Amino acid sequence: MNRRLDLAMLLLLTFSTGMVDAIGYLGFDKVFTGNMTGNVVILGMGLAGADGVPVLRPALALVFFMLGAALSGRILGDIGENWHHRTTVIFSGVAVGCAALSLYVALVPDPEIGLAGTIFTSALSALMGAQAAAARKMKIADVTTVVVTSTIVGLAADSSLAGGDNVRWIRRALAVVLILIGALAGAATLMLNQWIGIALVAVMISAAAVIGHLGEKKRRTRAEAAAAVSSNV
């Protein structure tokens, strides 16, 4: 039951990543802040001299994503696969960071232009790197929260059409659909104001942190109660 809750929270974060990438790509000069594969491709085209393709922001996004993931990995340590209080710390920190960035975008004039935009995409990439590292620690197959390419491969390769057994097809399909709908939602928020989408992302990550933490606390309480009963037998 507890792992199903973890899966649900990671699927929620997958949706929020779709929003983040749509906001970064459409609103901040073609930069992915969650999907680093996209940034590698954009960076390659930019280095080749393709017109209108940025180099600096995608490069910095890659660097800061890795820094965020490294810091998250250091904090998490060897916590195992289950939700841990350190997992809550990481996701809570990401939520607070996104909330701060939404305020930043709301207050800074023309936040997508020049240094202001570069600061935003770099900081958001660091936060997404931290989130991705925490999700990776949980080792829930096919749900990384930041990319669905391998998920789509698994969905197709294990399908009945390919002679497979359709293993985990529901979570795989949900991950793909949720990141798609998230991108749609992120693009829609840009029609209103840039800060709104990031604020909604902060709310969703906060919800995932709280629900996941409460679920883990309940699991620990049950485990302690079971251990107490066993010791009294």
Side-chain angles (χ1 to χ4, degrees):
M1 177 67 180
N2 194 60
R3 295 298 282 175
R4 287 202 295 270
L5 180 62
D6 291 347
L7 170 61
M9 294 307 98
L10 293 191
L11 286 172
L12 175 60
L13 295 178
T14 300
F15 175 87
S16 70
T17 301
M19 291 189 65
V20 162
D21 272 335
I23 292 167
Y25 188 84
L26 297 175
F28 290 84
D29 195 25
K30 299 182 178 66
V31 178
F32 290 106
T33 53
N35 176 13
M36 290 301 113
T37 303
N39 275 338
V40 171
V41 173
I42 289 173
L43 183 58
M45 293 187 294
L47 290 173
D51 291 338
V53 179
V55 171
L56 177 62
R57 286 188 186 178
L60 288 175
L62 283 168
V63 171
F64 279 91
F65 186 92
M66 293 178 67
L67 289 174
L71 177 60
S72 180
R74 172 67 70 175
I75 293 171
L76 292 168
D78 187 16
I79 61 172
E81 297 179 5
N82 289 322
W83 193 288
H84 190 274
H85 71 269
R86 294 183 189 177
T87 310
T88 303
V89 168
I90 295 298
F91 288 149
S92 297
V94 173
V96 170
C98 287
L101 285 178
S102 70
L103 185 62
Y104 171 84
V105 170
L107 296 178
V108 173
D110 300 319
E112 75 281 5
I113 297 174
L115 180 60
T118 303
I119 290 173
F120 172 82
T121 54
S122 298
L124 189 54
S125 294
L127 294 172
M128 291 299 103
Q131 174 184 293
R136 180 175 179 273
K137 282 283 186 181
M138 296 169 73
K139 295 182 180 179
I140 293 183
D142 301 305
V143 185
T144 67
T145 76
V146 293
V147 66
V148 292
T149 302
S150 59
T151 304
I152 293 171
V153 171
L155 185 62
D158 293 333
S159 67
S160 299
L161 184 63
D165 55 4
N166 286 311
V167 63
R168 296 192 296 269
W169 75 269
I170 294 177
R171 74 170 62 172
R172 288 169 172 171
L174 281 173
V176 175
V177 170
L178 286 171
I179 206 166
L180 172 65
I181 298 174
L184 176 63
T189 62
L190 287 174
M191 298 178 186
L192 301 174
N193 199 296
Q194 293 160 319
W195 69 268
I196 294 175
I198 302 301
L200 289 175
V201 167
V203 170
M204 284 185 281
I205 299 175
S206 296
V210 171
I211 295 170
H213 178 73
L214 292 177
E216 176 58 19
K217 186 176 180 181
K218 188 175 182 180
R219 185 196 66 80
R220 287 200 312 270
T221 300
R222 287 178 176 174
E224 290 169 359
V229 170
S230 298
S231 63
N232 291 329
V233 173

